[in-house]
Amino acid sequence: MATQMIVLNGGSSSGKSGIARCLQAVLPEPWLAIGVDTLIETMPAAMQSSDAGLGIGADGAVSTGPAFAALEAAWRAGVAEMARAGARIIVDDVFLGGAESRRRWEAVLGGLDVLWVGVRCTAEVAAGRETARGDRAAGMAALQAEAVHRGMAYDLEVDTTHTESLDCARAIAARVAR
């Protein structure tokens, strides 16, 4: 079976979105890029600063509540159904719960051929990108750099600390072509 879904997991500012865009350019068939940031942007503003939704502390720590969890579960199920319907999908996610986050994805991805990719970047480099972006809470990248990989096993890992997104995408595309 050909790969139907690529799941990119990495901390904030690790380079996942750039890799996803590059994958769309180098893969021979069309792939949709879907990120958790888009899910968050589509939520009501009130959920982006509530205990029930998504909270971002002054130190960059991210907390999620039951309303966020319910919408995220529906989003994951919907993404899986799009893949089952024939869309090839690149997911750009941040596994705040490490391996438990992957298990939640696995619960809806049964029967799909998924390539699990860890996107690594040192905390220092990710923090520098975070500052340059200006759209993230200071400290988020450093807090997530290693935490999102705890307990994880990947089919492939890339490191954007010193490697450009396009080179990472080419490595991933080579794995998809197998």
Side-chain angles (χ1 to χ4, degrees):
M1 178 183 288
T3 302
Q4 298 162 286
M5 193 170 207
I6 301 167
V7 177
L8 305 174
N9 173 48
S12 179
S13 300
S14 63
K16 300 175 307 297
S17 298
I19 291 171
R21 286 189 298 277
C22 290
L23 279 166
Q24 289 178 305
V26 301
L27 288 166
E29 288 100 15
W31 286 70
L32 298 176
I34 299 173
V36 70
D37 286 346
T38 303
L39 168 67
I40 293 166
E41 290 167 6
T42 64
M43 291 182 176
M47 277 191 59
Q48 295 182 26
S49 59
S50 76
D51 290 341
L54 179 74
I56 300 176
D59 63 350
V62 177
S63 60
T64 59
F68 178 86
L71 289 175
E72 184 184 36
W75 173 72
R76 279 191 306 268
V79 170
E81 286 308 311
M82 288 174 28
R84 285 189 185 89
R88 291 176 183 87
I89 305 205
I90 304 161
V91 172
D92 162 357
D93 205 347
V94 179
F95 288 5
L96 293 174
E100 179 55 36
S101 296
R102 177 175 170 156
R103 283 190 280 280
R104 287 192 294 269
W105 269 110
E106 288 172 331
V108 298
L109 295 178
L112 294 172
D113 187 336
V114 180
L115 180 68
W116 298 91
V117 180
V119 179
R120 294 191 178 267
C121 182
T122 65
E124 297 77 23
V125 169
R129 292 176 187 167
E130 173 182 78
T131 300
R133 289 175 69 160
D135 66 347
R136 297 285 192 262
M140 185 183 294
L143 288 172
Q144 294 176 2
E146 288 302 319
V148 300
H149 300 293
R150 284 194 191 113
M152 291 295 300
Y154 297 108
D155 298 313
L156 177 67
E157 290 189 40
V158 295
D159 190 325
T160 66
T161 304
H162 301 292
T163 306
E164 294 295 323
S165 294
L166 182 57
D167 293 326
C168 292
R170 286 181 176 139
I172 296 165
R175 186 68 180 261
V176 169
R178 286 186 187 178

